Amino acid sequence: MKATGGSDEEKRAAGESAAEAVEDGMVVGLGTGSTAAHAIRAIGRAVDSGLDVRGVPTSFQSRELAREVGIPLASLDAVDGVDLAIDGADQFSGPHLVKGGGAAHAREKIVDAAADRLVVVADPSKAADRLDHPIPLEVLPDARTTATAAVRALGGAPALRRAERKDGPVVTDNGNLVLDCEFGGVARPAELAADLAAIPGAVEHGLFVGMADEVHVGREDGVDVRRF
Ligand code: 5RP
């Protein structure tokens, strides 16, 4: 799993704090990344102790981990709704997020948007006054060249995400490519989100505008919970 940002203690504090929000009988969206993984492990321990939940994974990685720790799983179309989703972020500013560092943002957005409550787990390095992290854009492989040009026309600088232990590009769980799009500071996230979504061949972008209900920011000595 990729490691980003803050310390493992900070990530663990955030993940375990969010897992405390899980109640018996809930359907829980299981986010992706090293911070959400702490929440998944904590939910797994609670399941061992008798908690009755079903998890809806947001990625290959979260499915694998949830299976390993014994969380019963369901797909989104097999449940009536999602009570709570717990997910990480690459950056947050209030309730706005940039996600997709793990290239899982398309499924994450589907599950997180379906949830009655989205609890984001983060270490302090993810906090920003204004979003300025590159925005991941998942595109159909055939749209790589045209989407690259479209992002440039919006004022962004797109870079095809390259794999680290494979020659060539990162290929998402959905078989697509990712353009990391540098826009500098994002003054109007909703406008940029609409512009990116309108690019032909765009599958999903990593701007989660106004989606977080809570952000649990883990520190070495506790957790700050921000509610929106
Ligand atoms: C994956 C994501 C992750 O939630 C995000 O990259 C944060 O990961 P981490 O907790 O490892 O920093 O959006 O697509």
Side-chain angles (χ1 to χ4, degrees):
M1 189 187 307
K2 73 184 172 55
T4 58
S7 71
D8 197 52
E9 285 69 30
E10 291 167 336
K11 292 170 188 236
R12 180 189 305 278
E16 292 184 352
S17 167
E20 286 172 16
V22 178
E23 293 172 12
D24 218 41
M26 278 186 168
V27 173
V28 183
L30 303 173
T32 302
S34 55
T35 320
H38 284 295
I40 294 174
R41 289 192 199 94
I43 296 167
R45 290 193 292 276
V47 167
D48 276 350
S49 303
L51 183 77
D52 173 27
V53 290
R54 280 179 297 163
V56 178
T58 56
S59 62
F60 183 93
Q61 181 243 359
S62 63
R63 176 180 287 106
E64 289 281 284
L65 179 59
R67 288 179 64 163
E68 189 184 311
V69 301
I71 302 173
L73 296 178
S75 59
L76 196 52
D77 55 7
V79 295
D80 289 334
V82 178
D83 298 292
L84 170 74
I86 300 175
D87 206 347
D90 298 300
Q91 194 173 51
F92 69 90
S93 173
H96 309 309
L97 315 173
V98 177
K99 289 186 49 55
H105 53 284
R107 291 192 197 176
E108 288 173 326
K109 194 177 282 186
I110 296 168
V111 175
D112 294 354
D116 294 341
R117 181 177 164 204
L118 171 58
V119 175
V120 172
V121 290
D123 63 72
S125 73
K126 308 293 181 57
D129 292 334
R130 176 186 282 194
L131 298 177
D132 61 3
H133 193 279
I135 314 297
L137 179 67
E138 179 169 345
V139 298
L140 295 172
D142 281 352
R144 178 197 164 185
T145 311
T146 52
T148 296
V151 170
R152 287 202 181 108
L154 291 173
L160 180 68
R161 192 178 297 180
R162 299 270 168 194
E164 278 177 20
R165 295 186 60 202
K166 161 189 173 288
D167 291 335
V170 164
V171 177
T172 70
D173 291 357
N174 312 307
N176 299 315
L177 305 177
V178 175
L179 302 175
D180 287 305
C181 306
E182 178 68 69
F183 283 95
V186 179
R188 288 178 289 279
E191 275 181 32
L192 181 57
D195 287 343
L196 290 172
I199 293 174
V203 174
E204 193 53 82
H205 58 76
L207 275 170
F208 286 38
V209 180
M211 281 182 59
D213 295 297
E214 292 169 30
V215 180
H216 291 218
V217 185
R219 301 187 321 259
E220 305 272 338
D221 60 349
V223 180
D224 286 330
V225 178
R226 307 181 191 185
R227 294 190 169 83
F228 306 106

